[in-house]
Amino acid sequence: RHEVPPERGRHRYHAFVDPAGGSGGDSMTLGIAHAESGKAVPDMIREARPPFSPEDTVTLFAADLERYGLRKVTGDKYAGAWPAEQFKKRGIAYEPSEKTKSDIYAAFLPLLNSASVELLDDPRLTAQLLGLERRTAWGGRDSIDHRPGGRDDVINAASGALVHAAGR
């Protein structure tokens, strides 16, 4: 399963975006998910791979959000106010995530291990999930991130949406 079409009025959807600048190595990604029968279910994942226009990508993502009846998206604090301004121009409220991506991955892991989430059939999503590593950072704090040279844009958007849908 690669995408679940929206069923507006039946599900409460949650969206998470991982913004990027368009010219570096990072992709800009969007994940949408909902809760159903005690599970967090992914509906779609979008990825704009570099090089891309960040403004054009926000326009495309806003259209996807609208299809699912969403007027708000959660995302990381990348680039300060830029993502919030761009989404606002398109009628979407951008809320910075209270959780870091490491915190999101830490909340996602028990959901995954307990079969409380589903995943889409997406090779990049799977590869990035399997590429995550837990490390002990300065001060003894655990950190979950991709390995050096790796990527986590797709799994970041997917797990962010799924964690929000699960209410974690």
Side-chain angles (χ1 to χ4, degrees):
R1 186 166 69 163
H2 300 284
E3 187 169 321
V4 179
E7 295 182 56
R8 292 173 81 168
R10 181 166 181 232
H11 301 297
R12 182 171 176 234
Y13 294 101
H14 303 267
F16 193 92
V17 68
D18 184 2
S23 59
D26 287 343
S27 294
M28 186 165 169
T29 55
L30 170 69
I32 297 177
H34 71 274
E36 182 176 354
S37 303
K39 285 189 172 187
V41 178
D43 293 286
M44 59 146 291
I45 188 83
R46 291 284 183 264
E47 177 184 20
R49 295 184 194 176
F52 63 89
S53 162
E55 286 191 38
D56 290 347
T57 301
V58 170
T59 298
L60 294 172
F61 286 2
D64 283 323
L65 293 164
E66 188 174 315
R67 278 191 322 119
Y68 285 86
L70 289 165
R71 302 314 264 155
K72 136 182 126 165
V73 65
T74 303
D76 66 21
K77 295 175 182 155
Y78 169 86
W82 183 88
E85 290 170 2
Q86 293 302 310
F87 278 98
K88 184 178 180 180
K89 285 181 186 177
R90 291 149 181 92
I92 306 290
Y94 183 96
E95 296 181 356
S97 177
E98 294 178 13
K99 292 179 165 73
T100 66
K101 70 178 175 178
S102 184
D103 293 337
I104 290 169
Y105 297 149
F108 179 70
L109 184 60
L111 295 172
L112 183 65
N113 288 340
S114 66
S116 297
V117 295
E118 296 178 10
L119 295 176
L120 293 174
D121 297 315
D122 182 306
R124 287 178 63 81
L125 173 74
T126 303
Q128 289 182 11
L129 172 61
L130 296 174
L132 295 177
E133 296 179 344
R134 179 172 282 190
R135 297 184 206 102
T136 302
W138 278 68
R141 183 167 182 250
D142 271 349
S143 171
I144 304 170
D145 204 349
H146 60 79
R147 64 181 63 113
R151 300 277 179 246
D152 66 354
D153 310 305
V154 175
I155 189 60
N156 189 20
S159 61
L162 289 163
V163 166
H164 280 92
R168 296 284 172 103

